[in-house]
Each structure stands twice: as structure tokens, then as C-alpha cells.
Amino acid sequence: MKSFARASLVRMCTVRVSTVRAGALAGVLAAASFLTVPAVHADPEPTTKELEAEAHKLADKLEQLTEQYNGLRVKLQQSQRAAKVATDNAKRQEDSLQGIRDKVGTLAATSYMQGGADPTVSFLAAQDPQAMLDQAATLRYFAEQEGTQAASMIRAMQSAQRARKSAEERAKQVGKLRGDLEAQRKKVTTLYEKVRGKLVKKDPTQLAKLPVVGSGKAAQALRLAMGKIGRPYVWGAAGPSTFDCSGLIMWAYGKVGISLPHYTGSQWNAGTHISRDKLQPGDLVFFYSDLHHVGMYVGDGKMLHAPQTGDVVKIAPIGGRPFAGAVRVA
């Protein structure tokens, strides 16, 4: 009987404790429901306007790098040509010097072989006295002239060799700079593509074509360039299906017989500088203090240009970039 009473009491206590615990837990949960828990928010997505601004900034940097690359390519070609000219010059000097050595050596050997004989006897005994006189005169000439002429050729050869080494060294330096620039371009391109991937590409068919007035070579070049509207921008490209800004200019003017370098810095000096109010269709318009962008004036304050990576050849207002000046090529 006592055992049964104790068992009943234990069960009652257990139920009560469980009830108390459950109530306490419910109270804690109820209290927690009134607490404000801060929400974890991700960084807001950039707006389209912000993405466009960032894309334009990166594209502008890419264009700077592209034109710097084009400039270095021109310098590299110049250095390589200078090295070749100097090398060829040194080779010619070496050949000429060797020719003198051979002639003097041959005549000196002949003179030595005849040195033991009396000159009068040798002259009288010679089968061709006139040839002997000519040979003696030639030997004396080379004996007198050898020092001066050979020394002059040696100096010229040494100068040519120094020029060749200098040009080769410049070519190496430019090649290294071009490699460094290419690495920078790839890095910026990667960043640009990430931003551009979030933007919708513009439809090139929506670009308005303006009539080209004039019959000169500049107008002809502009008409040809207009035919490339919608073609993609590709850095370092100069046609016929892809272009960068200076490549488009070089291609168009090349088609009308005017050779221009593939570099905005050189194109800036390829004609006559004109004021903005004197612009005519086909004139070149340059932008930014370092002249890293160029287009062809169309008229009505607009230009045709290859804008940037991810874009296409199109017409745009010239007021959208810092204007640096204009050049009339033809």
C-alpha cells in the first residue's frame, strides 16, 4: 500500500514538473516573439545607370590602353626597321673592308714575290710591261690609301654596329612594354565584360544615317566608313569587318589612297589642324587630352566612330566626350 502511494506521488510530481517546464518554455517563446531580430540584407544590386557609368569608365580605360598599345606597335616597327637598316649597313661596310684587305693582300704578295729581283730586269723581262707598271701603281695607291680608307670604313662599321645594338635594345624595351600593356588590357577587359554582361546591348539598326555632303577624298572616306555601321569594335583591329577607333580611320582613308598610321597620336599630325566651327564631313575629331579617341565628322554636331569594346561602329554626338581638336586630312 505504501509502495503504491509512493509511485502515485512520483507520477504526480513528474507531470507537474513537465507542466511547469512546458509553461516556462511557452513563456520564453512568447516573449521572444516580441523581440526585433535584425534582418540580414545583401548589398543592393547596382542600377542600370550605375552599371552604364561603370561600363563607360572601363571602356574608356580600355580605349586608352588600346591606343597606347597601337603607339607602342608603331615604335616597335620603327625600331625593328632601324635595326635592320643598321645591320645591313654594317654588313656592307664589313664586305667593303674585306674587299680592300683582299686586294692589298694579293698585291702585297705579288710585290713580295718579285721583291728580290732588280726592278729594271723585272720590267724588261716581263711579258706585259704595262701590266706590271699598272700593278705597281695600284700597289702604291693602296699602300698610301689603305690606312685612311680602312680606318674610315672601320669607324663606319663600328657606328653601324652601335646603331644596330641600340635599335635592337629599343625594340626589346618596346616589346616588354607592349607585353605589360597587354596584361593590363586583359585585366581591364575581364572587369569590363563582367559589367557589360549585365547590360543590354544597343541595337545598331536604330542608328540614324546622315547624308554625306561633298565629293572630295574626305567625303569618300566617310561614305566608306558609313558602310561599316554596326560592325563590332575590336581593339587593335583595322578592318575590313572589325575596327578600333584609329583602325576605322586608317581603313577608310586607305581605301581612297591616303595612308595613315594605326595610331591616334600619329593621325593627329597627319593633316591641318582646324577649329571646331570649321568642321566638314570626313574631318577627324579627337578627344581627351592624350588624344586616345578619334572619329570622323559627319555633320550636324555628330561623328562616326568605333566607340569601345562591346559596342559597334555608329554615329554619336561629338559632345559626349572631352573635345581635343580636329584635323583635316584631305
Side-chain angles (χ1 to χ4, degrees):
M1 184 67 179
K2 290 181 180 180
S3 297
F4 175 78
R6 281 198 302 269
S8 298
L9 181 60
V10 169
R11 282 196 299 271
M12 291 174 62
C13 290
T14 301
V15 171
R16 186 172 182 182
V17 169
S18 299
T19 303
V20 170
R21 287 178 177 173
L25 179 59
V28 170
L29 292 174
S33 65
F34 293 99
L35 295 177
T36 302
V37 179
V40 178
H41 295 288
D43 292 335
E45 286 292 325
T47 64
T48 300
K49 186 175 182 180
E50 290 171 340
L51 286 173
E52 288 177 349
E54 181 65 16
H56 285 306
K57 180 180 177 181
L58 290 170
D60 186 61
K61 180 62 178 176
L62 272 178
E63 192 167 29
Q64 290 180 17
L65 294 174
T66 295
E67 287 308 316
Q68 290 173 20
Y69 181 92
N70 290 339
L72 288 175
R73 180 168 54 186
V74 171
K75 290 181 180 178
L76 180 60
Q77 291 170 347
Q78 292 172 344
S79 296
Q80 290 171 337
R81 285 195 296 267
K84 185 179 185 306
V85 169
T87 299
D88 293 343
N89 186 34
K91 182 65 169 58
R92 285 194 298 270
Q93 298 294 348
E94 289 171 355
D95 292 343
S96 298
L97 185 59
Q98 186 59 46
I100 291 177
R101 288 171 178 162
D102 293 342
K103 290 179 181 178
V104 172
T106 300
L107 291 172
T110 302
S111 176
Y112 175 78
M113 291 173 65
Q114 297 175 350
D118 180 84
T120 303
V121 175
S122 299
F123 178 78
L124 293 174
Q127 293 181 356
D128 188 352
Q130 184 59 47
M132 184 176 179
L133 286 172
D134 292 343
Q135 186 183 77
T138 302
L139 181 61
R140 284 196 302 273
Y141 171 79
F142 276 108
E144 293 170 356
Q145 298 296 323
E146 178 189 6
T148 301
Q149 191 173 2
S152 176
M153 285 193 173
I154 288 173
R155 287 195 296 271
M157 182 177 65
Q158 290 172 339
S159 176
Q161 288 174 339
R162 286 194 297 270
R164 180 192 44 146
K165 289 180 180 178
S166 176
E168 288 175 349
E169 184 61 30
R170 288 200 306 272
K172 289 180 182 178
Q173 292 173 353
V174 172
K176 182 180 183 304
L177 288 173
R178 191 172 66 160
D180 294 343
L181 197 61
E182 170 64 2
Q184 293 181 46
R185 191 198 66 82
K186 286 182 178 179
K187 183 177 180 180
V188 176
T189 299
T190 300
L191 294 174
Y192 176 78
E193 291 297 335
K194 288 181 179 178
V195 174
R196 188 172 65 88
K198 301 178 181 179
L199 296 173
V200 178
K201 293 181 180 179
K202 294 181 180 179
D203 183 358
T205 61
Q206 296 178 357
L207 298 172
K209 292 185 179 182
L210 298 180
V212 178
V213 180
S215 58
K217 288 191 173 183
Q220 294 174 24
L222 178 57
R223 289 190 190 96
L224 290 167
M226 293 276 277
K228 299 301 180 180
I229 286 179
R231 297 297 177 88
Y233 175 103
V234 173
W235 77 274
S241 57
T242 58
F243 305 87
D244 64 12
C245 69
S246 57
L248 177 64
I249 303 301
M250 183 182 77
W251 178 86
Y253 271 94
K255 287 296 183 181
V256 297
I258 298 177
S259 178
L260 294 177
H262 188 176
Y263 174 43
T264 54
S266 297
Q267 290 176 359
W268 172 255
N269 297 312
T272 303
H273 290 265
I274 57 175
S275 61
R276 189 167 180 172
D277 60 344
K278 301 294 183 183
L279 282 170
Q280 295 178 3
D283 289 339
L284 307 187
V285 284
F286 293 83
F287 303 88
Y288 303 97
S289 59
D290 61 353
L291 308 174
H292 73 259
H293 189 70
V294 63
M296 298 179 72
Y297 187 68
V298 175
D300 193 30
K302 294 181 175 62
M303 67 175 173
L304 178 74
H305 69 150
Q308 60 202 24
T309 298
D311 212 331
V312 296
V313 175
K314 63 183 179 182
I315 295 170
I318 63 174
R321 288 174 167 81
F323 185 78
V327 171
R328 180 161 297 153
V329 176

